[in-house]
Each structure stands twice: as structure tokens, then as C-alpha cells.
Amino acid sequence: MKKLYIVLFLLISFISNTFAQVVQAVSMSPKDSTGGFANTQQQFVSGAVARKSLVSYAKNSMSQFEDTKKKTLPKELDSLLVKQDFLTHEQFPNYLSQIENAYKRELEIVNKITIDNVSKLEQASQLNKTYSVSQSGQCFSEKDKGSFLLTQDDEGKAITGFALETLKGNPRYGLIDNYHQGYARVKKDMVFGFLNLCGEEVIPAQYDYAEPFNDGRALVKKFFWHFVNAEGVESEVLADIVDAKALKFGVSLAKFKSNKFALIDNSYDTVKKPISAGYDEVEIFIGNIFKVRNGKLFGLIKIDGSPITDIAFDRITLSEANRWIIVEQNKKVGLIDSDGNTRIKPSYDYIRSVTIDPSVSPTAASVIAKDASGIRLIELNERKLSETYASIGDFNRFGLAPACKTLADKGITKCGYISFDGTEVIPPVYDEVQPFNVTGLAVVTEKAANCSKPVGNCLVDIVYDRFGRIVIDKVNPSAPEGIRYMVTDTILASTLVVIRTYTPLEKGGTDDGYNLVDKNTLKRFTSEAYKNIRKFDRTNLAMLKGEKWGLLDFTGKEVLTPSYNELLFSSEGLIGVKYDNNKYGFIDKKGKVQITFEYAEINPFKNGMAIVSKGNNKVGIINKFNAKIAPCMFKSARYIEDTNQYEIADTSNNLYNLNSSGDCISANSSKFYDLVRKANQK
């Protein structure tokens, strides 16, 4: 016995002797823990509001078919519908009549237009479902006292109807479906029937089995199979059918006395002919496509019964992304589209889908296929084949994948990167390729035998961007240095990508440093690696070369030669630095010394002056000419932001205030100037 699986799509398998059980197991209105009803906060309304709700539902559902000349409702009725929250007994029939007229008119138009059969079925089904709901809701015409529930049907559409949940406690009911196309299927006293939107048993429970309504008719079984319409009128016996399952668009799947399966539509009782050929097996494949089997071979048909392929394949499956259909024939696989067009003839050992980020290409369509010669990428839009490779990896966010070739004569593998269309972006000539970082940079490695540093064999790295351009090339190509790189996702100063750099030393080991690449242009920013690099101020980066610090501007140009033991800060046009004598001073941005290196400690300039110290826990205040406004003989000093003044304390804790000109403005200013005079006389 075969098993029933519901995974990515609904699989319907009709099997001899167990057909009825399978049909019931995959009912179009499956029950869940809540009985299949919308678990929302209940809101009850009157019959008058229910009438308005039904008309609004029908109007909105049919609005896609409206044109400017013929609306579903005349202008005056449409206007009244907007103004009122309800419809009276007298108003309701007029609306129902207009909806019925619109339904018939639009259905006739759909049947006449030149579109494919499946599209016609789908459009006609939308009209039929809407009309079915409006027929069920005719019962609201005389309802005023009844309370009706604002809820959702089994397709999640807002609908107003009888509260079906109130029947759940009734022992006579073994099954209560949610509303489907306006009718709720019920099993009462062990037989099936249907309730309308008012909860009335318009089709009495009398059938051994019943399928939900399917575009105005329902399949029912009373020993033999029939159709029944919304008025409860049964069709003639459906000839030769022993079991049936409603699908959609008025199409059903039927098993015949011959043990063959075929698709039928709602006219089968009169035309007595299926809309498809007969098959040993029929199952829903994906969407409106069915997989069919005769003997051991498979094919595909549409829901209208028309064939997509011949019954000629050993196996038919969906690709990983459900975009393509993989067919197998004589142990070789190929690819077709949903229209049955052959994209790849069955000539490969395997085919796997490629997923490309839509931001790279919204129309990309490629697969990876393997045959006896190797693995290649096949671009399906242009039917373009890539080179043959030993391996192709996963595609990244830039639409690139690592691809490797094996050199048969040398028995070695070389790798690079290819694009989603098969173009070689980075040639497959490298011994290793690393993944791209988030900005689109990747490191590739080659083994070199003529290295200058270290001497002999070494690994040499090159940095590429996602467009296949070399960003950082090898040093001394004829006798390369074994410099290694590691791209990071670290961004410095908002726009610069950090590249870790490991430069080999003559005596072994590496000198570790950093390069920078502009993340917007993907061009190299630094001309060489630096031991350290950091943002210094709004216009410069501080870099450490050897043991000395200097400055780069934001074009990568060296604007301050690395000459200083430390670069502290930039303030009011001057840069605080530490010189070789381990003393601090100030230079301008051209490197000219403005304040000599004589201080043990310095602070940024504020309002033209700075607090400095020569040690011994004594501080003073200088201006930008290194004039000692307050000699380094005071106990403490601080800048007061609110007044833009400096406050300074002597060793006796006397406080003095200095203005922006350096003048002491305190009442005890004479004492301050005595201290300054003595210092100046030394």
C-alpha cells in the first residue's frame, strides 16, 4: 500500500480498495484543533447588517472584473451601500438581482476572451465562488432577529454567517466544516449534508459521503456518485465513477470502473466525458500541474486536462527552489519548465538549482549539471554553458561561486570564481580561494617556488574585488614576497575596509599590520601596510610605521611623515605629539613645531590656552605661542565650560580665574601676579 505525504504540496493518491479513506484524509476542508473555524474575537450582528455584509463581499470579489461602463452595482445602489451600515428587506433583493446580472455578464465575457484554458478556469471560478456565496446568503432576506457572526471562511476571507461553533456540542454532528464557497459541509446522524450562511440545512443530510462545494456544485455519494447544486437538485448518476475528489475551478479527480483516474469538470453528468485522458495514477504536483503515471512512466498535465509532456519519463521531481521540473529518462536527467518546454535534454547525471539574490539579478535562471566530462553551470535564459569544472560551490550574495578545475597533466586543482551566468570573474589559476566579505573582497592564494622573502617556496596572496579586479597585487612578481592577507568586515571611519596583513621577515615570523580599501570604490586606499591605523580627527587617520606615528588624509596621502612616538590629539589647529626625548609638545598640520617638546603632560587647547605640566605634580597654562600664562608651579588647573575661563589653584589652595586673554580677573589677582613675577625672574 502506498503512503500519503503532505510536504511542500498536497499529494492525492487514489489507490484501489482504500480510495474512499484516502479521499477523506485529504479533504479540502481539513479540521484542526479549533474545528477549522477562525479563532478570532466573536462579534455578532443583525440580519440587516448581514445583508449589507453579503452584498459588500460579492461586490468586492467581483470588482476585478468591473470596467468603467458596467459596474457590478449601479451608481445609486453603490452610493447607498456606502452610506448605510445595513440593508432593509426591500433593498436586499434588488442588490441580489444586480449581482446575479453582473455574474452572468462577466462569466459570458470570460468564456469568450482569448486566454489559455487554465486562466479561463481560474477567472470563471472566482465568479462562480462569489455567486455561490451570494446564493447561500439569500436566506438573510427575511432574517432580522437572528444573530450572525462576523468571521472568516476556510480561505481566510471575511464572511458573515451562522455561528457554526454552536453545533460542536451537539452529539448528532460528527463533522462540521467551516464555510467553503458559502456552504458548510456537515455530517449529521452519520450522513452528509450542507448548511447555508443562516445555518439552515438547505441540502438535507442524506449522503454516504460529500465533497465541499466546488464552483456551484458538490460531489455527493448515495451508493452512486452525483452532483448536487445549491438548491439541492441532484444530477444524474455520474457514469462509471466509483470514487471522486473535488479539487478547484470546478474540476475534480475521479476513479473509474476501469481502475483508471481522470479529471472531470462540473458538466460531466451531461457530457459524460472526462476532460483528461485516463491514467494509472494522478497526483497534484505543484500549483495547477498534475503528475500522471501509466505503467512505469510519468508525465505532466494541467488542471484543464491538457497534457504538458508525454508519458515518457522514469521520474519527475521539482528542483530545490520549485522553479524548474527535473525529468529523468534512461538514468539521465534534464530540465523542463511548467509549460513543458525542454530547457535541458535528459543527458546529465544530476542537476541542482542555483539560488541568486534578486538584488543581483531578478531574472537569473541557472542550474549546475554534471555529466561524464565534469560539472558546468547552465544559464537557462540564454541557453549558455560555462566551462567544465571539477567542482562549483554555492553562490554568494554577489552572484559568485568558487569553481575549480583539475589539470589532468599535472594532477593539481586550480580555483577561481564564476558568475551566475557562467562568466569567469576570477580565473581558476589559484591554489586556494577564500569567501568574499560583506563589501565584496576576497583573498586568493598561489604557491610560488621562487620567493624572495622567505627564500624558496611560499604562499602568496592577492586581494580581488567582486568584479574580478585586483585590489592588492603580489609584491615583486618575478620574485614574490609571501605576504598573506585576511579581509575583514571591520569598517574604519565609515568608508574604509580593514585588511589584516602579514609580511614575512628575513629571519622568520611575520610583521603584522593593516591595509585599507575604500568600500565604495573597492580601490586600495593605503599604498603599504601599517603596524597600526586609526581615525585621528575629521580629516586624518593616524598610522604607525615602524615605531613612529604619522598622518594620512582621507585620500590616502601621507600628510605628516611618521616621526613621532605618539600622536595624542588635534585641537584648535595644533596636534599634540610625543617626541624622541619622551617629552610632549605641539606641531601644526604641516609638521612644523609650534610648541617645543618640553612637557611631561599636555592637554588640548581650549579657548586659545592649554593646561600643561613639567612633572613634580605641578601644572601651568600656556597659549599657542608657548607663552607661560601661568608657569608650571600650581597645584591644579581646570577649564570652566560655562564661563570659558580657567580656574587655577596654588599650593596654598588659593583660587584664581583667568579670562580668554590670560588675564587674572580674581579679587586676589595681585597675589597671582606675584607668583608669576617670581617665576619670570628665575
Side-chain angles (χ1 to χ4, degrees):
M1 180 183 293
K2 297 184 178 179
K3 294 182 179 180
L4 174 67
Y5 291 88
I6 299 178
V7 186
L8 298 176
F9 53 85
L10 182 63
L11 175 63
I12 305 173
S13 179
F14 291 85
I15 306 171
S16 300
N17 302 324
T18 60
F19 180 86
Q21 290 86 344
V22 172
V23 167
Q24 191 164 354
V26 293
S27 166
M28 293 182 69
S29 300
K31 310 310 290 180
D32 57 24
S33 60
T34 62
F37 307 116
N39 188 16
T40 57
Q41 186 175 0
Q42 293 185 338
Q43 181 180 353
F44 290 93
V45 298
S46 67
V49 174
R51 289 191 284 270
K52 159 73 180 294
S53 176
L54 177 75
V55 172
S56 297
Y57 172 93
K59 177 184 179 299
N60 293 336
S61 297
M62 295 183 66
S63 61
Q64 61 181 297
F65 300 98
E66 291 180 349
D67 58 39
T68 55
K69 294 182 179 179
K70 292 186 178 180
K71 298 283 187 178
T72 302
L73 297 176
K75 185 176 181 180
E76 62 276 10
L77 293 182
D78 201 7
S79 176
L80 182 62
L81 196 65
V82 173
K83 294 178 181 178
Q84 292 187 179
D85 293 329
F86 61 90
L87 290 177
T88 65
H89 298 296
E90 295 75 20
Q91 293 168 336
F92 190 52
N94 194 9
Y95 280 96
L96 290 180
S97 175
Q98 294 294 334
I99 290 170
E100 182 175 358
N101 291 338
Y103 159 73
K104 292 177 179 178
R105 180 180 69 245
E106 299 300 339
L107 189 61
E108 183 179 358
I109 293 172
V110 167
N111 289 330
K112 287 181 179 179
I113 58 177
T114 306
I115 56 175
D116 65 274
N117 286 339
V118 174
S119 297
K120 278 189 178 182
L121 282 175
E122 191 167 3
Q123 291 191 26
S125 177
Q126 179 63 36
L127 290 166
N128 288 329
K129 287 191 290 186
T130 303
Y131 185 59
S132 179
V133 173
S134 66
Q135 281 186 303
S136 177
Q138 288 181 8
C139 61
F140 292 139
S141 181
E142 300 302 324
K143 303 292 183 183
D144 277 325
K145 296 182 179 179
S147 293
F148 299 100
L149 183 65
L150 294 176
T151 183
Q152 293 178 344
D153 64 14
D154 64 346
E155 294 181 346
K157 293 183 178 180
I159 197 168
T160 302
F162 171 75
L164 296 170
E165 288 182 300
T166 60
L167 300 177
K168 287 199 300 183
N170 190 327
R172 297 181 65 185
Y173 288 91
L175 171 72
I176 308 167
D177 273 352
N178 194 4
Y179 289 110
H180 179 78
Q181 298 185 10
Y183 296 90
R185 180 179 60 165
V186 296
K187 186 178 182 182
K188 178 183 175 185
D189 299 330
M190 302 184 69
V191 285
F192 287 81
F194 292 89
L195 307 182
N196 64 11
L197 289 174
C198 296
E200 299 167 344
E201 199 171 300
V202 288
I203 300 177
Q206 58 183 299
Y207 298 105
D208 301 331
Y209 184 73
E211 284 286 299
F213 264 79
N214 185 9
D215 286 15
R217 305 188 95 181
L219 282 165
V220 293
K221 183 181 181 182
K222 194 190 303 183
F223 192 77
F224 295 110
W225 284 89
H226 305 261
F227 287 125
V228 65
N229 65 15
E231 287 79 29
V233 178
E234 289 181 6
S235 72
E236 295 182 13
V237 172
L238 304 183
D240 299 324
I241 291 178
V242 296
D243 261 315
K245 169 68 186 172
L247 299 173
K248 60 180 178 178
F249 303 164
V251 175
S252 302
L253 182 56
K255 180 182 179 183
F256 290 80
K257 291 178 180 179
S258 62
N259 279 330
K260 291 288 186 178
F261 300 91
L263 300 180
I264 64 172
D265 64 15
N266 282 347
S267 67
Y268 178 80
D269 57 314
T270 56
V271 299
K272 303 187 187 312
K273 183 180 178 181
I275 61 173
S276 76
Y279 303 98
D280 293 339
E281 185 178 19
V282 177
E283 64 181 52
I284 294 177
F285 188 61
I286 185 171
N288 297 322
I289 299 175
F290 293 76
K291 182 165 69 173
V292 296
R293 177 182 62 81
N294 271 336
K296 294 183 178 181
L297 297 180
F298 294 87
L300 297 173
I301 65 173
K302 297 179 182 179
I303 195 169
D304 66 353
S306 61
I308 296 175
T309 70
D310 294 333
I311 312 299
F313 300 105
D314 302 315
R315 191 164 61 97
I316 298 178
T317 57
L318 282 170
S319 64
E320 292 93 330
N322 291 350
R323 184 172 181 180
W324 307 103
I325 299 168
I326 299 173
V327 293
E328 181 177 329
Q329 199 172 49
N330 300 322
K331 296 185 178 180
K332 295 294 181 180
V333 296
L335 211 65
I336 64 174
D337 60 24
S338 58
D339 292 323
N341 300 313
T342 298
R343 295 298 185 122
I344 303 173
K345 292 182 178 180
S347 57
Y348 290 92
D349 298 328
Y350 74 74
I351 292 176
R352 67 180 175 90
S353 296
V354 168
T355 301
I356 302 300
D357 191 317
S359 65
V360 176
S361 173
T363 60
S366 301
V367 295
I368 293 172
K370 179 183 182 299
D371 60 14
S373 63
I375 299 171
R376 65 179 68 205
L377 184 78
I378 304 176
E379 200 284 320
L380 298 172
N381 292 326
E382 301 292 333
R383 307 291 178 94
K384 178 182 175 183
L385 298 178
S386 74
E387 296 285 327
T388 301
Y389 300 95
S391 66
I392 298 176
D394 293 330
F395 282 80
N396 62 23
R397 63 192 297 176
F398 306 111
L400 304 175
C404 300
K405 288 184 175 182
T406 299
L407 306 181
D409 56 333
K410 298 181 180 180
I412 58 176
T413 299
K414 296 291 184 177
C415 301
Y417 271 90
I418 62 173
S419 177
F420 63 88
D421 63 357
T423 304
E424 288 185 351
V425 176
I426 298 177
V429 297
Y430 298 101
D431 295 285
E432 297 177 18
V433 293
Q434 301 298 324
F436 279 80
N437 75 344
V438 296
T439 53
L441 298 171
V443 175
V444 300
T445 304
E446 63 178 35
K447 296 176 182 178
N450 60 331
C451 300
S452 60
K453 192 192 300 182
V455 177
N457 297 329
C458 72
L459 298 177
V460 180
D461 284 351
I462 299 172
V463 179
Y464 274 90
D465 69 14
R466 65 180 183 268
F467 303 108
R469 301 175 301 199
I470 293 178
V471 179
I472 304 179
D473 205 348
K474 53 189 173 184
V475 178
N476 302 326
S478 59
E481 296 182 13
I483 301 175
R484 309 300 305 275
Y485 300 104
M486 183 178 74
V487 296
T488 73
D489 292 329
T490 302
I491 305 297
L492 180 66
S494 301
T495 60
L496 300 172
V497 184
V498 176
I499 311 292
R500 297 289 302 269
T501 306
Y502 307 93
T503 304
L505 300 173
E506 295 284 356
K507 296 181 180 181
T510 60
D511 187 13
D512 299 352
Y514 303 90
N515 270 284
L516 297 177
V517 172
D518 189 302
K519 78 169 186 178
N520 297 317
T521 64
L522 296 181
K523 292 183 178 181
R524 186 173 184 175
F525 179 82
T526 50
S527 59
E528 59 183 298
Y530 295 101
K531 291 184 69 173
N532 201 343
I533 193 163
R534 59 182 170 83
K535 185 177 180 181
F536 185 68
D537 58 22
R538 289 183 296 177
T539 58
N540 295 291
L541 300 171
M543 47 78 173
L544 180 63
K545 183 176 181 180
E547 301 300 325
K548 300 297 182 180
W549 287 90
L551 290 178
L552 300 173
D553 66 16
F554 279 102
T555 68
K557 180 182 177 182
E558 189 176 284
V559 293
L560 182 63
T561 303
S563 309
Y564 303 98
N565 293 354
E566 290 182 33
L567 292 179
L568 275 69
F569 45 74
S570 175
S571 68
E572 297 187 2
L574 296 180
I575 300 170
V577 300
K578 184 179 183 182
Y579 198 55
D580 289 344
N581 62 357
N582 284 328
K583 297 292 186 179
Y584 294 91
F586 288 87
I587 61 174
D588 62 22
K589 290 189 176 182
K590 294 183 179 180
K592 183 178 179 180
V593 177
Q594 297 296 329
I595 295 176
T596 58
F597 310 112
E598 59 180 284
Y599 297 103
E601 181 182 342
I602 58 176
N603 290 280
F605 276 89
K606 292 184 177 180
N607 206 19
M609 294 184 288
I611 299 170
V612 296
S613 172
K614 291 188 175 183
N616 299 319
N617 295 320
K618 296 294 190 291
V619 299
I621 296 175
I622 61 172
N623 65 15
K624 292 183 179 180
F625 300 104
N626 201 21
K628 281 65 173 176
I629 305 300
C632 291
M633 57 184 296
F634 290 88
K635 181 180 178 181
S636 65
R638 70 186 181 99
Y639 180 71
I640 303 173
E641 299 283 350
D642 293 342
T643 61
N644 293 325
Q645 296 175 357
Y646 281 87
E647 181 185 80
I648 192 165
D650 63 20
T651 54
S652 299
N653 292 324
N654 295 308
L655 298 178
Y656 310 99
N657 290 328
L658 306 181
N659 63 18
S660 59
S661 299
D663 298 322
C664 181
I665 56 175
S666 303
N668 57 352
S669 61
S670 59
K671 187 173 183 62
F672 170 78
Y673 285 119
D674 285 341
L675 295 173
V676 172
R677 188 178 302 109
K678 290 178 182 180
N680 288 335
Q681 290 174 353
K682 288 184 180 180

